[in-house]
Structure formats: structure tokens, C-alpha cells
Amino acid sequence: MDHRTKRVAIVGAGTSGVAVCKHLLARGFRPVVFDAGACVGGQWTRTLASTRLQSPHVAYRFSDFPWPEPESVDWYPRHDQVVDYLAAYARHFGVEERVRFRSKVLAAEYVGAPDDAASGWEQWAGNGDAFGDGSGAWRLTVRHGESGTTEVRRAPLEVAQLASLKKATCVFHQAYEFDFLILCIGRFSGVPNIPKFPPDGGPDVFRGRVIHSMDLSDMDDEDAAELLKGKRVVVVGSGKSAFDIAAECAEANGVEQPCTMICRRPRWLMHHTNVWGKVAFAYLFMNRFAELLVRKPGAGVASNLLATLLSPLGWLISTLTEAFYKKEIPMEEHGMAPEYGFARSVSSCLIGMLPEGFYDRVKEGSIVIKRTKTSFTFCEDGLVLDDGAGAGGERVPADLVILATGFRGDQKLRDMFVSPRMKEIVAGSPDTTVPLYRECVHPRIPQMAVVGYAENLINIHACEMMAKWVARLVDGAFRLPSVRRMEESVAEWGRYMRRSSGPEHFRRSCLGAVNIWYNDQLCRDMGCDPRRKKGALAEWFQPYGAVDYADIR
């Protein structure tokens, strides 16, 4: 079978989508990428004006494409610089011409074996091949255009004709069929996570305005600044976006109209990545020796025993790192010291960079931090914080409430599918991690891959490795094991994530503490040597990054 004649669709032209398309093109495929936006970049094109990378640009890069003119790029690049980098990558490798912008995939339906037959397969897709026996296909319903009249086209339209849609002035829906589907839709946009409120305690009783952080990010910078100006703004959340929004509020209104930030569980946010002024963060948590201290999924008894014996050393490294950041950042003074250790934040992908001068703004009074023990409710003129005793606590007046409460990535994934069975199984249950083998393939969903759902401390690196793996899988370079073996592996990784991330964050599917180990599995599948460094010292103690895997194409 000549796989390169097969039709492959990619949904999303963000970091993952452009990487997958590039590696498929390199292997002779002609994929089609659908993206609802007007340019490549995904969520980087819809973000706050002040948003920057969480890692230095030298670490955040594709393996075979350095940043153009790095001396002109900020050490922590702005979001527009990231978009420019992704666009340059897409142009350089011919990805951009394969993208059909303003084309939103509304639904994906597998046309082939019925659900009851597929559920009994012993091999993925029936025979273990990426394209099955050739009888199955994915039917995508795509909405093209953004404005104008609506037209429904029922006759098939050749994929090659899609280029003409770039200038389409009407909105219409079109159905296409593909032999393989790759979802690169991310998990930090699309479906906001809105807290549940008791009767008479939700946003409907509030006389002001309530929005999600996604709504603010989708606005033009000027409109977002105008919305914040002169208002009593309350930001709810403890993640990176909550800190960024509070900082933008403080910039807009100063001490005359302070921004209130309501936080339940603080996270570890750093001001820079050199610990104790000399040791780079990556040397402590992103090399093979650091992973030697972790009980890894799929590792042997000897490896896990060694990790257990070395656990005091891991505890010491984590404790010293925590002590440094507590000394340098006045988090304890303002009640913002996390309740869990730094090592757990790495394994949960719950670390980030503080907005510049954040605690200076807290000190001057332009940001006011309030902690709530459990939850909050709305009242006519603001919020009421739960005092933990079942009674109403402090009232916080507000004109605008911004919920920086994250996203429901699992629901976004489910919403792609027509089949009730696939909706049910693709993202697992609340008690399991998302059941993807190698974080890319669902053992019971044929001819489909997901790239970019699992997180890493540097997401672009993980996305590119997944893209290389999926491209080789589609090209027939290797075959997947049996469905049973894949499900056993999924369960083992799920147990690791629950153990390392704790009961609240295991569904984030974070690779942060075992990224090299994960890449080792991908390398072995692809027939590549997982040891990428020269010399034993470098192999064990130097941080691993994208460039180490540049020769895997």
C-alpha cells in the first residue's frame, strides 16, 4: 500500500498542527490543515497584550528551525514574536500553503466499521495499519468563511479546490472525507471551565459583567484595555492567566482603582529560572539524572527501586528550590505560598513565570490578593467569599468579574465527534487520564491521532516529538502493538500521573518530570537511538532539549 496517496486531515494550525504538517510533507504526504483563524499560531494569536513565553526563546524552538535573528528577540518573547516565529516556520517548510484558514471543523464522523464491531478489534483499526483495511474514512463537516450569507454545499468539493476558499465572501458548510485524521486542537481554549454555583448565588444575580479570561483574550488589545479601565475588577483564579490579567488591570488603573485577585490554591510562579543565582532550573529538573529520581511508568523493578532509594535526594533538591523562591519572592508575606512541593508542580506542569513586578504592584496597593478557603458566590454588587464555616464571608465589591478558571480540554476533545461512543471514550472518565497511547492514539478509535493534548514544561518540544512519531506511524515506518497492550500502557501511565500529580491535577496529562523517558519510548518505536548526547556526563547531567532530536525526521 502506498500510504503517501492517502488523504490526511489536520485540525488546527497552532504549534502542533504546523509541526505535524511539516513532518508529513517531509515524508511525501499532502495533508490539508483546517483552522478557524486567519493565520497560523493557534492560541498565540488570541491572548492578552502582555502575554510572553514562559521559557527562554533558546529553549522554545523546533529542533531544525532556530529563531530568526535571535539578538532581536526578547529573552522571553512576546506573543506576537511567537506568532512570527511559527509563521516563519510554516513558510519555510511549505506548511502555510496547505492551511485553509477561516475553516472551522464542526464535526468528525468515522465512516466504516460500526461501533460494536470496532470495539472488539484486537489490533488497532482492525489490522494494526494506520489506514486500516482501506474501507474506513473520516467525514469532516467544515464551516468556511466568517461573514456574509450562508450556503450549504452538499456535492463533494475536491480538496485541491480549497485554495479558492481563501477569498470566499460567504459562509457555507462542506463535507470532506479523509483516510486519516489528526487533531491538533490543544486544550487551553474553546470550552471555558465555569465554576458551579448554588441557586441564587450565580452570575445572574450580579448587576455587573462576568466574563471568562478567554473572552478577554479574544478582544483586540485596545478593547480589552478599555474594558478594564476605571472599573472595580475582580479576577478569580490562581494560574498564570489570573496573574497576567491582574497585572494588566493594575497597569490600567493603578492604586486609584485596585484590582482584586481571588485565589484558592496558589501555584509556583518563578521570577527567573536560575536557582540560588547560579544553577539553571533545567539542570535540576530536565536531565536524565533528575528523572533517575522518579518512579517512571513502564520502568523495571530495579529502576523503580533505585528511584525509591534516591527519593531523599529528590526531596532535598525540591526543598532547596522552594526555599530559594520563597526567599526571593514575597509569596509567604502575601499568603501565596503553595501548599504542595516544587517537585509536584513540575510533575503537574503547574509552574510558570510571574509578570514582571507583580509583587511590587501588590505592595503599592494596585493589586489586592484575597484568599478563599473553598469557593465564592455572587451577590448584587460583587462576590461573597466562603469563610470555610458554611456561612457567608467577606464581600468583595465589583463592576467586572473575570473568571481565569481554565478550560475543559476534555470537553473540547469530545465535542469534535458525532458518535456518542467516541464522545464517551475519547477523553476517559473523571477518574482516569485521557486514554491515549503514547499520548497520541486512542486504542479504540481507528485512523486518528491527537497531538498536543499532553503538556510538558516546554510544550513545543513535546508537540514536535509527537509530530515526528505520528508522521512515521502514518507512513508505515512502524506498527502499533495490540489493543490490549496499548490499553495496559495507557493504564500504567495513568497510574503514574495520578501518583505524581495528585488527585486534583492528574487529568492534565503532564510529561514534565518524565519527558526524556517519554521521548525514549517514542525513539524506540521509531527505531532511533534514545541516547542523544556525546559522553556519559553529558548524557546524564546536561538538560535535554529539542536540538538533541534534530536528526530525527
Side-chain angles (χ1 to χ4, degrees):
M1 179 187 299
D2 185 2
H3 287 175
R4 293 170 180 82
T5 63
K6 295 293 186 178
R7 301 162 299 173
V8 180
I10 301 169
V11 181
T15 307
S16 301
V18 296
V20 172
C21 185
K22 181 264 183 183
H23 286 284
L24 285 173
L25 285 171
R27 303 188 78 82
F29 290 90
R30 302 292 288 170
V32 175
V33 185
F34 296 105
D35 192 272
C39 62
V40 302
Q43 71 178 87
W44 284 107
T45 65
R46 302 180 301 277
T47 188
L48 301 173
S50 62
T51 300
R52 290 180 177 270
L53 265 180
Q54 299 293 288
S55 53
H57 71 268
V58 293
Y60 188 95
R61 54 162 291 181
F62 291 112
S63 61
D64 55 359
F65 193 73
W67 282 74
E69 302 178 3
E71 65 278 358
S72 64
V73 178
D74 296 346
W75 186 248
Y76 294 99
R78 303 186 310 271
H79 64 91
D80 58 301
Q81 293 175 323
V82 178
V83 172
D84 289 344
Y85 173 74
L86 296 175
Y89 176 88
R91 287 192 300 271
H92 182 78
F93 291 109
V95 170
E96 198 169 48
E97 64 189 53
R98 306 303 305 167
V99 184
R100 306 307 172 233
F101 296 110
R102 299 183 178 87
S103 299
K104 180 177 177 61
V105 176
L106 303 177
E109 180 179 12
Y110 184 70
V111 183
D115 285 349
D116 55 350
S119 63
W121 282 338
E122 294 183 1
Q123 296 293 325
W124 188 60
N127 62 1
D129 187 86
F131 298 99
D133 62 4
S135 63
W138 281 95
R139 181 176 297 154
L140 304 184
T141 301
V142 183
R143 184 185 68 212
H144 296 289
E146 291 182 326
S147 61
T149 60
T150 299
E151 174 186 354
V152 178
R153 297 185 178 179
R154 301 188 183 279
L157 181 70
E158 292 297 326
V159 171
Q161 293 177 271
L162 281 171
S164 64
L165 298 176
K166 291 184 177 181
K167 299 181 180 180
T169 58
C170 65
V171 177
F172 62 93
H173 295 72
Q174 179 68 48
Y176 307 97
E177 287 194 359
F178 292 90
D179 302 301
F180 199 92
L181 172 63
I182 306 173
L183 299 179
C184 301
I185 58 177
R187 58 183 296 175
F188 298 113
S189 62
V191 182
N193 179 42
I194 305 298
K196 294 182 179 180
F197 300 97
D200 301 324
D204 53 314
V205 305
F206 177 49
R207 291 180 301 191
R209 183 175 179 183
V210 181
I211 65 173
H212 189 267
S213 59
M214 178 181 72
D215 302 315
L216 188 68
S217 297
D218 285 344
M219 294 180 182
D220 292 334
D221 292 346
E222 292 183 1
D223 292 339
E226 182 64 27
L227 177 65
L228 302 177
K229 188 69 176 177
K231 293 185 177 67
R232 295 175 299 175
V233 181
V234 174
V235 181
V236 179
S238 56
K240 171 62 175 170
S241 61
F243 280 77
D244 284 344
I245 294 170
E248 291 207 6
C249 269
E251 182 70 24
N253 296 325
V255 296
E256 292 79 13
Q257 197 66 269
C259 174
T260 302
M261 181 176 170
I262 296 178
C263 175
R264 187 158 61 103
R265 292 189 180 92
R267 301 180 183 179
W268 286 100
L269 294 181
M270 308 175 292
H271 61 317
H272 60 67
T273 56
N274 284 340
V275 181
W276 297 110
K278 296 180 180 180
V279 183
F281 172 87
Y283 279 90
L284 297 177
F285 296 99
M286 298 175 68
N287 57 23
R288 282 196 185 277
F289 182 77
E291 293 194 5
L292 196 65
L293 313 181
V294 178
R295 292 178 59 199
K296 298 174 284 294
V301 174
S303 175
N304 287 331
L305 177 60
L306 181 60
T308 301
L309 293 174
L310 292 175
S311 60
L313 177 58
W315 174 85
L316 179 62
I317 293 173
S318 178
T319 301
L320 290 175
T321 304
E322 295 166 26
F324 167 72
Y325 285 117
K326 286 180 178 179
K327 174 179 176 294
E328 293 289 311
I329 302 171
M331 59 182 78
E332 291 183 308
E333 177 184 341
H334 299 286
M336 293 295 283
E339 297 172 357
Y340 52 87
F342 199 86
R344 172 157 288 188
S345 71
V346 171
S347 60
S348 306
C349 293
L350 290 173
I351 59 175
M353 299 299 294
L354 275 170
E356 187 174 354
F358 179 85
Y359 280 104
D360 292 336
R361 293 187 173 100
V362 175
K363 184 177 181 180
E364 74 182 11
S366 58
I367 295 175
V368 177
I369 298 175
K370 293 184 179 296
R371 295 287 304 276
T372 179
K373 293 182 178 180
T374 54
S375 60
F376 67 93
T377 55
F378 283 89
C379 58
E380 285 189 354
D381 61 349
L383 303 178
V384 180
L385 306 186
D386 193 327
D387 64 1
E394 180 181 0
R395 296 171 73 95
V396 181
D399 303 309
L400 172 67
V401 176
I402 303 175
L403 301 175
T405 48
F407 297 88
R408 294 190 59 192
D410 56 346
Q411 189 60 46
K412 184 178 182 180
L413 196 56
R414 294 182 205 275
D415 288 346
M416 291 296 304
F417 298 95
V418 173
S419 163
R421 171 180 168 271
M422 290 186 181
K423 284 179 179 288
E424 179 183 357
I425 68 174
V426 68
S429 70
D431 298 324
T432 65
T433 55
V434 174
L436 299 176
Y437 177 71
R438 298 292 194 247
E439 305 301 323
C440 293
V441 169
H442 194 291
R444 299 284 178 179
I445 300 181
Q447 297 167 238
M448 186 200 78
V450 179
V451 175
Y453 188 90
E455 297 179 69
N456 192 12
L457 298 179
I458 302 178
N459 280 329
I460 193 172
H461 177 28
C463 291
E464 186 183 28
M465 286 299 294
M466 294 176 190
K468 294 178 179 185
W469 186 87
V470 168
R472 290 195 178 205
L473 171 66
V474 172
D475 199 24
F478 64 92
R479 295 171 75 90
L480 297 176
S482 68
V483 169
R484 181 183 60 81
R485 285 186 58 195
M486 286 196 289
E487 289 180 335
E488 289 173 352
S489 175
V490 167
E492 189 163 20
W493 277 82
R495 288 190 292 271
Y496 157 75
M497 289 177 183
R498 178 179 285 277
R499 181 177 68 247
S500 62
S501 300
E504 293 184 352
H505 304 299
F506 72 94
R507 279 183 62 80
R508 293 178 68 93
S509 298
C510 174
L511 303 169
V514 291
N515 180 63
I516 301 172
W517 176 254
Y518 169 75
N519 286 341
D520 288 351
Q521 317 306 309
L522 300 188
C523 285
R524 293 188 181 98
D525 292 344
M526 293 186 288
C528 305
D529 185 358
R531 303 284 174 157
R532 316 299 298 174
K533 301 284 191 182
K534 294 182 178 179
L537 286 177
E539 183 63 49
W540 282 101
F541 296 103
Q542 281 189 0
Y544 258 77
V547 177
D548 294 304
Y549 301 90
D551 63 333
I552 301 177
R553 295 182 173 87

